[in-house]
Amino acid sequence: MALSFLMLAQAGGGTSPLNTLALLVGLVAIMYFVMIRPQQKQMKEHRNLLTSLKKGDEVVTAGGMLGKIHQVDERTVTVEVASGVRVRILKTSISAKGTVAEGAQAGAPTEEKKKEEK
């Protein structure tokens, strides 16, 4: 029985190294276009977002906090999250520009909806 497995292994051998190389090059190309290129594009967009920040922009942080930019420094941003409440955060933690009004109304049910449910 073991002898027949050895015969089969010897009979099936002989793939060209060129075929193996072509397969590896193909796999690397697929990985580049599926994983690496989109991530580099996203990083470039985020870098452009951070350089375009200015006073008065409404932003969303990576932690989900919404606020309006009060002051922009080289590495940090002061964000006003409520009337008179200012938080100093790193620029890199800003994930997107957005409006505070849209974010506040998106998930929380309003008082009118609560009354209708009762």
Side-chain angles (χ1 to χ4, degrees):
M1 184 94 170
L3 189 57
S4 63
F5 285 123
L6 289 174
M7 290 171 146
L8 287 174
Q10 289 176 353
T15 60
S16 171
L18 191 59
N19 289 341
T20 306
L21 182 63
L23 179 66
L24 286 174
V25 168
L27 286 175
V28 168
I30 289 172
M31 291 292 284
Y32 174 76
F33 284 108
V34 171
M35 294 177 64
I36 298 169
R37 189 167 180 233
Q39 185 178 8
Q40 287 177 343
K41 185 178 178 184
Q42 186 179 16
M43 286 173 52
K44 183 179 178 183
E45 289 174 2
H46 190 253
R47 232 179 294 130
N48 291 338
L49 168 78
L50 295 181
T51 57
S52 70
L53 291 176
K54 62 185 180 297
K55 184 177 179 177
D57 286 346
E58 293 179 344
V59 294
V60 180
T61 66
M65 204 175 343
L66 303 167
K68 186 179 277 191
I69 293 180
H70 178 69
Q71 180 182 0
V72 179
D73 294 328
E74 187 177 328
R75 295 185 64 191
T76 61
V77 175
T78 304
V79 178
E80 188 169 2
V81 293
S83 182
V85 179
R86 295 183 183 143
V87 180
R88 201 167 142 223
I89 59 172
L90 291 174
K91 269 187 176 180
T92 56
S93 68
I94 293 178
S95 60
K97 284 186 183 180
T99 62
V100 176
E102 287 175 6
Q105 294 175 359
T110 61
E111 291 295 322
E112 294 173 4
K113 288 183 182 178
K114 289 180 183 178
K115 289 179 183 178
E116 290 175 6
E117 291 175 0
K118 291 180 182 181

